[in-house]
């Protein structure tokens, strides 16, 4: 039911072009990719992109099934580099981390950091306190300020960078480097 109204949208291709221009990635991993609209968009513009998704239905009904595998961000053995033997230079977690229980967030962030073997960039989108989207989705478990999220990333050894103002949804975008 959660994915029923999720569709492929123009914004996914706009995001893909912006990220290609900014990060210049060769291999991308999107964690919590859902049906994979961004995985499809990035592959469409020539970026080798893979996705990992916890929801079995979403994986089976994904837009690009050969590039998306089922897995859970809080289970190290489920992460994509173990399943596909890839080393991404950009990891995307768009509207994912706020859905994790507080007690699993540190594990998830450590797993993301460990997945950046040869890469260094992490792109996150998170609704924060003050953003009406935070309260609209009843599946959001972590409801914190942007400052809280920035500190959490720094605590895990990431260096936080200011996102470009020309990125879509820049108010909820966080860019971090390993």
């Amino acid at each position: 039911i959660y994915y029923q109204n999720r569709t492929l949208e123009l914004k996914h291709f706009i995001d893909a072009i912006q990220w290609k221009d900014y990060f210049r990635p060769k291999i991308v991993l999107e964690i919590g990719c859902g049906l994979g609209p961004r995985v499809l968009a990035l592959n469409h513009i020539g970026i080798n992109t893979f996705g990992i998704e916890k929801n079995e239905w979403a994986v089976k009904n994904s837009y690009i099934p050969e590039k998306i595998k089922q897995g859970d961000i809080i289970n190290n053995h489920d992460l994509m580099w173990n399943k596909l033997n890839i080393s991404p230079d950009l990891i995307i977690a768009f509207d994912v981390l706020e859905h994790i229980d507080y007690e699993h967030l540190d594990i998830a962030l450590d797993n993301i950091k460990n997945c950046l073997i040869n890469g260094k960039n992490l792109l996150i989108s998170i609704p924060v306190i003050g953003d009406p989207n935070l309260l609209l989705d009843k599946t959001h478990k972590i409801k914190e300020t942007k400052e809280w999220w920035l500190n959490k990333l720094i605590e895990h050894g990431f260096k936080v960078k200011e996102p470009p103002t020309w990125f879509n949804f820049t108010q909820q975008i966080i860019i971090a480097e390993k």
Side-chain angles (χ1 to χ4, degrees):
I1 292 173
Y2 185 81
Y3 295 98
Q4 184 176 3
N5 296 322
R6 306 287 171 138
T7 60
L8 189 60
E9 299 176 50
L10 181 59
K11 71 179 179 182
H12 300 124
F13 290 90
I14 293 169
D15 288 344
I17 291 167
Q18 290 177 341
W19 302 340
K20 180 181 181 180
D21 291 344
Y22 182 79
F23 294 107
R24 304 204 182 284
K26 292 183 180 19
I27 300 176
V28 175
L29 171 62
E30 183 179 9
I31 296 173
C33 66
L35 297 171
R38 289 180 179 88
V39 175
L40 176 68
L42 284 159
N43 276 288
H44 184 74
I45 63 168
I47 305 297
N48 193 14
T49 303
F50 301 88
I52 188 166
E53 171 56 47
K54 183 177 180 177
N55 184 285
E56 181 180 1
W57 183 92
V59 172
K60 287 182 179 177
N61 293 279
S62 67
Y63 295 118
I64 188 166
E66 67 276 12
K67 294 280 195 164
I68 297 174
K69 300 292 181 198
Q70 187 173 6
D72 189 340
I73 190 174
I74 59 172
N75 183 342
N76 189 34
H77 298 291
D78 279 354
L79 285 177
M80 188 58 71
W81 80 92
N82 288 332
K83 290 188 172 221
L84 289 178
N85 195 26
I86 64 168
S87 180
D89 49 353
L90 171 62
I91 292 180
I92 300 168
F94 238 63
D95 300 319
V96 172
L97 297 177
E98 69 273 15
H99 294 274
I100 297 173
D101 292 320
Y102 277 92
E103 61 267 19
H104 295 130
L105 182 60
D106 290 328
I107 294 167
L109 291 173
D110 285 342
N111 284 340
I112 289 170
K113 186 174 180 187
N114 291 335
C115 189
L116 285 168
I117 298 165
N118 295 323
K120 64 177 185 173
N121 290 302
L122 174 61
L123 172 63
I124 303 172
S125 173
I126 301 175
V128 296
I129 292 175
D131 179 343
N133 293 316
L134 182 63
L135 301 177
L136 288 177
D137 187 336
K138 302 299 181 209
T139 65
H140 291 165
K141 296 177 180 179
I142 299 178
K143 299 173 182 166
E144 298 290 348
T145 64
K146 191 166 190 175
E147 188 68 30
W148 184 90
W149 282 102
L150 297 174
N151 287 333
K152 184 56 86 169
L153 288 165
I154 292 167
E155 176 184 310
H156 283 270
F158 287 98
K159 177 184 172 193
V160 177
K161 293 174 54 175
E162 195 67 33
T165 56
W166 45 270
F167 269 21
N168 287 333
F169 314 108
T170 192
Q171 72 281 2
Q172 64 185 49
I173 296 290
I174 298 173
I175 296 175
E177 291 182 340
K178 182 176 174 182

Short mmCIF file of all heavy atoms in Angstrom, two decimals, residues 27 29 76 79-82 85-91 110-121 158 178:
data_model
loop_
_atom_site.label_atom_id
_atom_site.label_comp_id
_atom_site.label_asym_id
_atom_site.label_seq_id
_atom_site.Cartn_x
_atom_site.Cartn_y
_atom_site.Cartn_z
N ILE A 27 29.79 4.89 -9.96
CA ILE A 27 28.91 3.86 -9.42
C ILE A 27 28.12 4.45 -8.25
O ILE A 27 28.72 5.02 -7.33
CB ILE A 27 29.70 2.62 -8.95
CG1 ILE A 27 30.48 2.01 -10.12
CG2 ILE A 27 28.76 1.59 -8.33
CD1 ILE A 27 31.36 0.85 -9.72
N LEU A 29 24.93 3.81 -5.33
CA LEU A 29 24.05 2.90 -4.59
C LEU A 29 22.98 3.73 -3.91
O LEU A 29 23.30 4.66 -3.18
CB LEU A 29 24.85 2.11 -3.54
CG LEU A 29 24.01 1.28 -2.57
CD1 LEU A 29 23.22 0.20 -3.31
CD2 LEU A 29 24.91 0.66 -1.50
N ASN A 76 24.21 -5.72 7.96
CA ASN A 76 25.44 -5.58 7.18
C ASN A 76 25.52 -6.56 6.02
O ASN A 76 25.99 -6.24 4.95
CB ASN A 76 26.64 -5.74 8.11
CG ASN A 76 27.95 -5.40 7.45
OD1 ASN A 76 28.01 -4.51 6.62
ND2 ASN A 76 28.98 -6.10 7.81
N LEU A 79 23.62 -5.57 2.69
CA LEU A 79 23.95 -4.39 1.91
C LEU A 79 24.50 -4.75 0.54
O LEU A 79 25.09 -5.80 0.32
CB LEU A 79 24.91 -3.49 2.68
CG LEU A 79 24.23 -2.72 3.82
CD1 LEU A 79 25.25 -1.92 4.59
CD2 LEU A 79 23.14 -1.81 3.32
N MET A 80 24.31 -3.84 -0.39
CA MET A 80 24.52 -4.11 -1.80
C MET A 80 25.95 -4.52 -2.17
O MET A 80 26.13 -5.35 -3.03
CB MET A 80 24.13 -2.87 -2.60
CG MET A 80 24.12 -3.09 -4.08
SD MET A 80 23.02 -4.39 -4.61
CE MET A 80 21.44 -3.65 -4.31
N TRP A 81 26.95 -3.94 -1.52
CA TRP A 81 28.30 -4.30 -1.97
C TRP A 81 28.56 -5.79 -1.71
O TRP A 81 29.34 -6.40 -2.40
CB TRP A 81 29.36 -3.40 -1.35
CG TRP A 81 29.76 -3.72 0.04
CD1 TRP A 81 30.78 -4.54 0.44
CD2 TRP A 81 29.17 -3.24 1.25
NE1 TRP A 81 30.85 -4.59 1.80
CE2 TRP A 81 29.89 -3.80 2.33
CE3 TRP A 81 28.12 -2.38 1.51
CZ2 TRP A 81 29.56 -3.53 3.65
CZ3 TRP A 81 27.80 -2.12 2.83
CH2 TRP A 81 28.52 -2.69 3.88
N ASN A 82 27.89 -6.39 -0.75
CA ASN A 82 28.01 -7.83 -0.52
C ASN A 82 27.24 -8.62 -1.57
O ASN A 82 27.65 -9.70 -1.96
CB ASN A 82 27.48 -8.21 0.86
CG ASN A 82 28.40 -7.75 1.96
OD1 ASN A 82 29.59 -7.62 1.76
ND2 ASN A 82 27.86 -7.49 3.12
N ASN A 85 28.90 -7.03 -5.26
CA ASN A 85 30.33 -6.79 -5.32
C ASN A 85 30.65 -5.46 -6.01
O ASN A 85 31.41 -5.40 -6.96
CB ASN A 85 31.05 -7.95 -6.02
CG ASN A 85 32.54 -7.91 -5.78
OD1 ASN A 85 33.00 -7.38 -4.78
ND2 ASN A 85 33.30 -8.46 -6.70
N ILE A 86 30.00 -4.40 -5.51
CA ILE A 86 30.24 -3.06 -6.05
C ILE A 86 30.90 -2.19 -4.99
O ILE A 86 30.83 -2.48 -3.81
CB ILE A 86 28.94 -2.39 -6.56
CG1 ILE A 86 27.97 -2.14 -5.39
CG2 ILE A 86 28.30 -3.21 -7.65
CD1 ILE A 86 26.81 -1.23 -5.74
N SER A 87 31.51 -1.13 -5.45
CA SER A 87 32.10 -0.15 -4.56
C SER A 87 31.62 1.24 -5.01
O SER A 87 32.25 1.87 -5.84
CB SER A 87 33.62 -0.24 -4.60
OG SER A 87 34.19 0.71 -3.73
N PRO A 88 30.50 1.70 -4.46
CA PRO A 88 29.95 2.97 -4.92
C PRO A 88 30.80 4.16 -4.49
O PRO A 88 31.42 4.16 -3.44
CB PRO A 88 28.57 3.02 -4.24
CG PRO A 88 28.73 2.17 -3.02
CD PRO A 88 29.72 1.11 -3.38
N ASP A 89 30.82 5.18 -5.34
CA ASP A 89 31.47 6.43 -4.96
C ASP A 89 30.44 7.47 -4.53
O ASP A 89 30.81 8.54 -4.08
CB ASP A 89 32.40 6.96 -6.05
CG ASP A 89 31.79 7.01 -7.42
OD1 ASP A 89 30.67 6.52 -7.62
OD2 ASP A 89 32.44 7.55 -8.33
N LEU A 90 29.16 7.12 -4.63
CA LEU A 90 28.07 7.95 -4.10
C LEU A 90 27.00 7.02 -3.57
O LEU A 90 26.59 6.08 -4.25
CB LEU A 90 27.48 8.84 -5.20
CG LEU A 90 26.20 9.61 -4.85
CD1 LEU A 90 26.42 10.59 -3.71
CD2 LEU A 90 25.65 10.33 -6.08
N ILE A 91 26.58 7.28 -2.34
CA ILE A 91 25.44 6.58 -1.75
C ILE A 91 24.33 7.60 -1.55
O ILE A 91 24.56 8.69 -1.05
CB ILE A 91 25.80 5.90 -0.42
CG1 ILE A 91 26.78 4.75 -0.67
CG2 ILE A 91 24.54 5.40 0.29
CD1 ILE A 91 27.20 4.02 0.57
N ASP A 110 26.78 3.45 10.32
CA ASP A 110 28.06 2.73 10.22
C ASP A 110 28.10 1.86 8.97
O ASP A 110 29.12 1.78 8.28
CB ASP A 110 28.30 1.87 11.47
CG ASP A 110 28.70 2.69 12.68
OD1 ASP A 110 29.13 3.86 12.51
OD2 ASP A 110 28.57 2.18 13.81
N ASN A 111 26.99 1.18 8.66
CA ASN A 111 26.93 0.36 7.46
C ASN A 111 27.10 1.20 6.20
O ASN A 111 27.78 0.78 5.25
CB ASN A 111 25.62 -0.44 7.40
CG ASN A 111 25.63 -1.61 8.36
OD1 ASN A 111 26.68 -2.07 8.79
ND2 ASN A 111 24.46 -2.09 8.71
N ILE A 112 26.48 2.37 6.18
CA ILE A 112 26.63 3.27 5.03
C ILE A 112 28.09 3.68 4.89
O ILE A 112 28.66 3.63 3.80
CB ILE A 112 25.72 4.50 5.17
CG1 ILE A 112 24.26 4.10 4.96
CG2 ILE A 112 26.12 5.59 4.18
CD1 ILE A 112 23.27 5.20 5.30
N LYS A 113 28.70 4.07 5.99
CA LYS A 113 30.10 4.51 5.94
C LYS A 113 31.01 3.37 5.47
O LYS A 113 31.90 3.58 4.65
CB LYS A 113 30.54 5.01 7.31
CG LYS A 113 31.93 5.61 7.30
CD LYS A 113 32.28 6.22 8.62
CE LYS A 113 33.68 6.79 8.57
NZ LYS A 113 34.12 7.25 9.87
N ASN A 114 30.76 2.17 5.95
CA ASN A 114 31.57 1.03 5.54
C ASN A 114 31.37 0.67 4.08
O ASN A 114 32.25 0.07 3.46
CB ASN A 114 31.27 -0.18 6.43
CG ASN A 114 31.76 0.02 7.85
OD1 ASN A 114 32.68 0.79 8.09
ND2 ASN A 114 31.13 -0.66 8.79
N CYS A 115 30.22 1.00 3.54
CA CYS A 115 29.94 0.72 2.13
C CYS A 115 30.71 1.65 1.20
O CYS A 115 30.96 1.32 0.05
CB CYS A 115 28.44 0.85 1.87
SG CYS A 115 27.91 0.30 0.26
N LEU A 116 31.11 2.79 1.70
CA LEU A 116 31.88 3.75 0.91
C LEU A 116 33.36 3.37 0.93
O LEU A 116 34.21 4.10 1.43
CB LEU A 116 31.68 5.17 1.44
CG LEU A 116 30.34 5.81 1.11
CD1 LEU A 116 30.12 7.08 1.92
CD2 LEU A 116 30.24 6.11 -0.38
N ILE A 117 33.67 2.22 0.38
CA ILE A 117 35.03 1.69 0.40
C ILE A 117 35.97 2.60 -0.38
O ILE A 117 36.98 3.06 0.13
CB ILE A 117 35.06 0.25 -0.16
CG1 ILE A 117 34.20 -0.66 0.74
CG2 ILE A 117 36.48 -0.27 -0.26
CD1 ILE A 117 33.87 -1.99 0.11
N ASN A 118 35.65 2.84 -1.63
CA ASN A 118 36.49 3.69 -2.47
C ASN A 118 35.86 5.06 -2.69
O ASN A 118 36.48 5.94 -3.26
CB ASN A 118 36.74 3.03 -3.83
CG ASN A 118 37.56 1.77 -3.69
OD1 ASN A 118 38.46 1.70 -2.87
ND2 ASN A 118 37.24 0.76 -4.48
N GLY A 119 34.64 5.20 -2.29
CA GLY A 119 33.93 6.45 -2.51
C GLY A 119 33.94 7.33 -1.29
O GLY A 119 34.51 6.98 -0.26
N LYS A 120 33.29 8.45 -1.42
CA LYS A 120 33.30 9.34 -0.28
C LYS A 120 32.02 10.12 -0.09
O LYS A 120 31.80 10.70 0.95
CB LYS A 120 34.47 10.31 -0.37
CG LYS A 120 34.41 11.26 -1.55
CD LYS A 120 35.57 12.23 -1.50
CE LYS A 120 35.44 13.25 -2.62
NZ LYS A 120 36.45 14.28 -2.52
N ASN A 121 31.12 10.15 -1.07
CA ASN A 121 29.97 11.04 -0.99
C ASN A 121 28.70 10.34 -0.55
O ASN A 121 28.38 9.25 -1.02
CB ASN A 121 29.73 11.70 -2.34
CG ASN A 121 30.81 12.69 -2.68
OD1 ASN A 121 31.06 13.63 -1.94
ND2 ASN A 121 31.48 12.48 -3.80
N PHE A 158 31.63 11.54 9.45
CA PHE A 158 31.39 12.20 8.17
C PHE A 158 31.70 13.69 8.28
O PHE A 158 31.54 14.29 9.34
CB PHE A 158 29.93 12.03 7.73
CG PHE A 158 29.58 10.66 7.25
CD1 PHE A 158 28.97 9.75 8.09
CD2 PHE A 158 29.87 10.28 5.95
CE1 PHE A 158 28.63 8.48 7.66
CE2 PHE A 158 29.54 9.00 5.49
CZ PHE A 158 28.92 8.10 6.35
N LYS A 178 32.96 11.00 3.42
CA LYS A 178 33.63 10.06 4.33
C LYS A 178 34.98 10.61 4.71
O LYS A 178 35.66 11.19 3.92
CB LYS A 178 33.77 8.72 3.65
CG LYS A 178 34.41 7.67 4.51
CD LYS A 178 34.41 6.34 3.77
CE LYS A 178 35.19 5.31 4.57
NZ LYS A 178 35.26 4.05 3.89
#
